[in-house]
Amino acid sequence: MNKPNPFLDLARQQELYGHAARLAGRTSALMRAKTSGHPVPETIVSLVQTHHARPDRLGVVLDIGCGRGTSSLALAEQLRPQRVVGLDAAPSLLAQARERVTELPDTTVDFIEGDFHDLPLPAGSCDIAVAAFCLYHSPQPKDVIAQIARILAPGGLAVLVTKDLDSYQEMDRLVASAGLDPQADQHESLYTAAHSRNLADLAASSLDVIAVLDEEHSFTFDGHDHTAQYLATNPKYDLAPGLYGNPGALAATLHEFLPDQPLVTRSRITFVVAQPNEGRRP
Ligand SMILES: C[S@@+](CC[C@H](N)C(=O)[O-])C[C@H]1O[C@@H](n2cnc3c(N)ncnc32)[C@H](O)[C@@H]1O
């Protein structure tokens, strides 16, 4: 029997997002490896500035699945709306997001716990809703899009962001060839529920899509030690006990079975900008 996709398995999400330091380590390993591709928060800000009629007079900006708040803080600093609300299901990430807030004149920033299938905001209350790298954690991403359509004000915008199905496939090959998980390149993509090729269709289930942007991001990890810092918390692989969450042990195993080498990999990032369909409003 096929194992459930780890990104849709609630128990695995607790393991992935229950420790802010672990997620920060993984993200920082990926960012140090990046060789091309704009910072995602900057692209989100620029899409809002391009497509919203009054980006200089925004009310509420909602960052759904905000994690440690990186995009929320960029949205606050660069768009200066009245209020930014970051929403996430993981309390440990929200706690770290709150610690990262710096005071801004005229913009308040709040982080709240919630489930994106049932957004705790009134209908028509948000000018912008961002959902970056989180819709692939929903077994029913269209339900989340319907919630976004509900909370957007007339003239509001949604910016949805995801990765392509084959992102980082060179890592799968490395893990398989080192014998860490011989089936590594045959597992289902983590991004199956919401990926570059179905994101616009998902958005169109409740919104009008007005722009789609694809961007190639490239990464070079220096060698096994660097690669292991990202791989160690990747739930895609069936690693031997003691390797998951343990970059040192994972790096030692890679060194044992493969000569040290840089790992070059890539990911396509897709941004979909969509607006409420006025005709569908009740
Ligand atoms: C990969 S992180 C993305 C964080 C951030 N948006 C970014 O771009 O860096 C995915 C986030 O989605 C959150 N998430 C997963 N399921 C959720 C749900 N049902 N409701 C709200 N947030 C959820 C996780 O807790 C995690 O913080």
Side-chain angles (χ1 to χ4, degrees), residues 48 52 58 60-64 119 121-131 144-160 203 206-210 272-278 281-282:
V48 171
H52 195 279
L58 297 171
V60 177
V61 171
L62 175 64
D63 186 16
I64 298 164
L119 293 175
L121 288 134
S125 61
C126 299
D127 287 326
I128 304 292
V130 171
V144 186
I145 306 285
Q147 284 286 306
I148 292 174
R150 180 183 66 76
I151 56 93
L152 277 177
L157 278 187
V159 182
L160 315 176
S206 297
L207 295 164
D208 286 341
V209 173
I210 55 175
V272 168
V273 184
Q275 64 191 9
N277 177 330
E278 295 304 321
R281 280 190 181 274

Side-chain angles (χ1 to χ4, degrees), residues 13 17 65-67 71 87-90 93 114-117 132-134 136-137:
Q13 285 191 43
Y17 299 125
C66 63
S71 292
L87 175 136
D88 202 278
L93 302 187
D115 182 347
F116 53 38
H117 299 98
F133 307 121
C134 60
Y136 44 59
H137 287 305

Side-chain angles (χ1 to χ4, degrees), residues 216-236:
E216 290 294 324
H217 287 219
S218 309
F219 305 86
T220 301
F221 289 81
D222 300 336
H224 292 336
D225 293 339
H226 185 187
T227 308
Q229 286 165 19
Y230 183 74
L231 275 182
T233 52
N234 191 326
K236 184 172 188 181

Side-chain angles (χ1 to χ4, degrees), residues 184-195:
D185 48 2
Q186 287 157 47
H187 296 311
E188 180 174 272
S189 169
L190 293 173
Y191 313 114
T192 307
H195 53 85

